Amino acid sequence: MLCEKCKMREANIRYTEVVGGVKTEYNLCSHCAREMDFGHYSAVFDTDYPIGKLLAGLFGLDADGGENDEFDVNQVTCPTCHTAYSDFVKDSRFGCPDCYRVFDLLMSENIKKVQGSDTHTGKRPLYNREGGQEGAGEDEETRLLKSIEILDSRLKEAVQEEEYEAAARYRDEIRELKERLGEHA
Amino acid sequence: MLKWYQETENQHDVFVASRIRLVRNLTHCPFPVKLSGEERKKLAEKLEEGLKDIGSVCRKDFRRISLSAAGGTEREALRERRAIGAAGAAEEGMESLLLSEDETVSITLAGDDHVRLQCMSGQAELSRLWEEADRLDDYINERFPYAFHEKYGYLTAYPTNVGTGLRAAVTLHLPMLSAGKRFGKLVAEIGRFGVAVRGVYGDGNETYGSLYEISNQKTLGVTEEEVITLVKQMADRLAASERKMKSVTLKSHRTDMEDEIFKSYGVLRYARKLNLKEAMTYLSQVRAGEMEGLLQFKEPVNICRLMTEIQPANIRMLVPEEEENDLNQARAAYIRKLLPELV
Ligand SMILES: [Zn+2]
Ligand SMILES: [Zn+2]
């Protein structure tokens, strides 16, 4: 079972809470449980730990974002396997290797949160002779265009919400992508 | 041929087992979740065909088990022996399994990911297992190009495996530590380093038998060697705490400890019915007693083997069908048969 909060890690902590005779169960990963500031992680082993108030605002977290008028990131869909970004968020599972390219910019922050990094440093395949450069060029261009489109809509959103710091970051990323697009053209 | 968990432990220790798991996917193929039953089967057949000589890499004989055709009990028994993961035990969880005779190497095909490769042993030897997995991985890759991304590394169905696709895990027996008040705090401390501690056997709420698996949580941005070093370090730390606590308790409460251990042995030796929790609890005590030399058996015995083989599905596989209705009885009988007399 996946953690109810981040929906990315395996839930390994189950809290059972009885309030007013109603029993509720929460499944969280150790990371989220810790972040929730439940006070003591040792609660895992204590059955009668009071956590009621701490959970109050917790599960509304998923409700924000995505509903904006002109561009909905949840609609971004992988052309190869037809997994929509909203499916990925829901199941926290990819449909095919191409999903990583399509959702790259949308999810990289989340992956960073879960993994603490977003760049592989370990072993590389010895025998991947294909993975060729010819076909990849076109893919790369499409990918960049798509990413720019997404970032652009996020930039507009950020400006609207007066989140200038975020806006500046999006602007920088867009500039960088456009430069890379130029190299490809 | 004996399976790895049946071999006599040459040294009774806090360390019980080591495990390396890699997940890999092929290029140009959707992850199994997006495949139809027929497509999954085809994929599994293609992989089986390509890997039919995999035994030559590690000089072991492999057998092929069709998991989609196997019964629920058989799948569950494989999961209890940790040859497959929880996902594989589920209905339609995965297509097929290549399992070495001694069950140290298992390769599941068309499960959550295209390939899940696992090397296991009853020794504290993560680095050697990694070398073996690394070799097997290259062998598979030579036949099937992998989905690999410059930034994200090996691509996996779940973002929690992406990068190295590596899970390095050590199983520890922690009867003293886990009974203590500080255990939760210790686990939390270790968690801050990105290492998880999970009970191996239990009912979902409670761990039975005090076997815990220590494993890395992060798979991206760390090298395989870094992961293994980290898990080793944390496992060593827990093992050291366990040993220390044991020696302190032995000094201060020797008679109490002996009493508990001998009572546990007595129950296992003579009980006619044992449920899982009872059996695991007493076996854990007996193992601790043997480790400290408080119990001396006439013949060597591997208590962890018993802990594995008395799990519900495994015990069911061992007894004839007509006795199946009383597993507690079968469990007690099995333990009586394998538990040796004291010197
Ligand atoms: Zn979580
Ligand atoms: Zn896809």
Side-chain angles (χ1 to χ4, degrees):
Chain A
M1 180 181 293
L2 288 172
C3 168
E4 290 174 26
K5 195 194 161 211
C6 64
K7 300 211 170 79
M8 291 190 96
R9 268 178 291 240
E10 193 67 334
N12 49 14
I13 295 173
R14 183 191 293 162
Y15 283 95
T16 310
E17 185 198 15
V18 182
V19 179
V22 183
K23 191 171 151 192
T24 322
E25 218 177 76
Y26 300 104
N27 294 284
L28 301 171
C29 70
S30 43
H31 185 90
C32 289
R34 199 164 53 246
E35 266 198 332
M36 280 331 289
D37 189 27
F38 285 61
H40 304 284
Y41 188 86
S42 57
V44 190
F45 304 93
D46 297 342
T47 45
D48 53 352
Y49 192 79
I51 52 159
K53 65 176 167 60
L54 293 161
L55 286 169
L58 190 72
F59 298 102
L61 289 179
D62 293 330
D64 61 350
E67 306 298 350
N68 248 309
D69 31 30
E70 45 182 314
F71 191 86
D72 184 352
V73 290
N74 287 317
Q75 301 296 315
V76 176
T77 299
C78 169
T80 313
C81 72
H82 307 292
T83 298
Y85 188 65
S86 57
D87 298 332
F88 166 67
V89 171
K90 192 167 112 252
D91 304 328
S92 79
R93 182 165 64 186
F94 297 101
C96 79
D98 291 338
C99 289
Y100 279 91
R101 263 185 289 148
V102 178
F103 302 145
D104 187 357
L105 286 163
L106 298 177
M107 71 184 183
S108 66
E109 280 304 306
N110 279 332
I111 290 224
K112 226 175 185 163
K113 257 187 224 155
V114 171
Q115 294 275 6
S117 162
D118 63 0
T119 310
H120 178 61
T121 55
K123 183 180 175 178
R124 307 170 64 83
L126 269 181
Y127 298 98
N128 271 25
R129 50 207 179 273
E130 55 158 35
Q133 290 304 308
E134 336 77 61
E138 201 184 285
D139 275 357
E140 179 72 0
E141 205 175 306
T142 328
R143 186 183 77 87
L144 286 170
L145 281 169
K146 199 153 195 168
S147 301
I148 291 170
E149 194 183 345
I150 292 163
L151 282 170
D152 207 45
S153 77
R154 283 201 170 178
L155 169 63
K156 279 185 196 136
E157 254 173 59
V159 171
Q160 244 169 35
E161 303 289 323
E162 302 189 350
E163 288 167 353
Y164 296 114
E165 218 171 288
R169 216 172 53 230
Y170 292 134
R171 201 166 356 206
D172 289 347
E173 280 183 46
I174 291 170
R175 190 184 311 127
E176 196 188 308
L177 290 181
K178 282 190 172 156
E179 274 167 24
R180 267 159 68 188
L181 193 63
E183 288 164 20
H184 270 274
Chain B
M1 180 180 208
L2 285 181
K3 306 192 166 127
W4 70 268
Y5 57 84
Q6 295 175 320
E7 278 164 32
T8 313
E9 292 180 282
N10 48 10
Q11 191 191 349
H12 297 276
D13 191 33
V14 178
F15 286 88
V16 170
S18 311
R19 188 168 72 91
I20 290 282
R21 185 225 61 190
L22 292 174
V23 292
R24 298 289 190 249
N25 288 282
L26 313 190
T27 47
H28 308 305
C29 178
F31 298 139
V33 65
K34 288 281 175 184
L35 298 177
S36 70
E38 196 50 41
E39 288 169 321
R40 269 183 182 223
K41 209 172 206 145
K42 277 216 184 95
L43 170 69
E45 276 163 13
K46 186 173 98 174
L47 285 159
E48 280 165 17
E49 177 58 28
L51 303 179
K52 62 179 189 297
D53 292 325
I54 188 120
S56 62
V57 185
C58 48
R59 279 185 231 105
K60 290 180 199 295
D61 284 329
F62 278 76
R63 67 184 169 123
R64 192 193 72 86
I65 300 170
S66 169
L67 288 169
S68 51
T73 309
E74 192 184 345
R75 282 199 304 267
E76 184 58 20
L78 285 164
R79 189 194 64 78
E80 289 170 356
R81 303 206 296 273
R82 293 192 275 168
I84 59 177
E91 199 72 35
E92 291 173 22
M94 66 178 61
E95 204 45 50
S96 96
L97 167 69
L98 304 176
L99 186 63
S100 72
E101 225 182 342
D102 59 2
E103 299 198 357
T104 53
V105 181
S106 61
I107 305 166
T108 38
L109 307 173
D112 279 339
D113 293 277
H114 296 151
V115 178
R116 175 189 187 270
L117 165 66
Q118 179 181 281
C119 298
M120 246 191 128
S121 94
Q123 315 279 329
E125 50 175 1
L126 276 182
S127 301
R128 189 195 65 76
L129 291 178
W130 160 242
E131 279 166 29
E132 186 176 29
D134 190 23
R135 256 198 331 270
L136 288 160
D137 181 42
D138 290 341
Y139 180 89
I140 300 168
N141 183 215
E142 208 179 338
R143 282 143 191 90
F144 300 97
Y146 286 150
F148 186 84
H149 186 280
E150 278 311 308
K151 182 169 130 198
Y152 289 121
Y154 292 94
L155 301 181
T156 56
Y158 288 100
T160 42
N161 287 327
V162 73
T164 56
L166 169 69
R167 190 81 59 220
V170 173
T171 304
L172 301 178
H173 183 218
L174 304 171
M176 304 298 288
L177 209 56
S178 62
K181 278 210 163 80
R182 280 185 55 246
F183 191 52
K185 237 178 109 188
L186 205 61
V187 169
E189 244 169 70
I190 283 174
R192 271 179 215 117
F193 292 94
V195 172
V197 179
R198 289 194 191 89
V200 176
Y201 295 120
D203 64 358
N205 284 314
E206 200 184 339
T207 298
Y208 298 160
S210 305
L211 293 181
Y212 291 87
E213 194 175 66
I214 322 302
S215 67
N216 62 302
Q217 288 183 302
K218 289 172 185 169
T219 55
L220 186 60
V222 271
T223 65
E224 289 79 2
E225 287 75 16
E226 284 165 348
V227 167
I228 287 165
T229 306
L230 176 70
V231 172
K232 267 189 199 163
Q233 265 173 7
M234 295 302 141
D236 282 342
R237 214 168 117 182
L238 280 170
S241 304
E242 170 72 19
R243 288 191 197 103
K244 193 172 156 208
M245 208 161 156
K246 208 177 288 166
S247 77
V248 168
T249 313
L250 259 174
K251 275 200 194 104
S252 59
H253 295 85
R254 190 180 179 97
T255 313
D256 291 334
M257 212 174 143
E258 278 184 332
D259 180 54
E260 259 188 82
I261 287 164
F262 277 93
K263 272 180 185 160
S264 299
Y265 176 80
V267 173
L268 293 176
R269 187 96 187 112
Y270 296 107
R272 263 35 195 176
K273 283 186 173 194
L274 285 169
N275 68 32
L276 182 62
K277 187 181 173 180
E278 293 170 324
M280 291 298 283
T281 309
Y282 300 139
L283 283 170
S284 172
Q285 292 278 1
V286 165
R287 189 175 191 275
E290 191 190 20
M291 214 189 300
E292 293 309 312
L294 300 176
L295 288 180
Q296 286 182 0
F297 296 115
K298 279 192 177 162
E299 299 139 43
V301 60
N302 182 344
I303 301 289
C304 291
R305 167 193 183 166
L306 278 169
M307 286 181 160
T308 304
E309 292 180 339
I310 59 156
Q311 295 300 313
N314 276 281
I315 227 30
R316 199 170 297 140
M317 301 280 286
L318 278 174
V319 299
E321 233 168 88
E322 60 268 27
E323 287 167 35
E324 220 185 74
N325 47 21
D326 203 339
L327 289 183
N328 290 344
Q329 210 174 319
R331 183 177 290 120
Y334 189 69
I335 291 174
R336 284 203 308 278
K337 196 174 89 188
L338 262 78
L339 195 67
E341 281 176 50
L342 297 180
V343 175

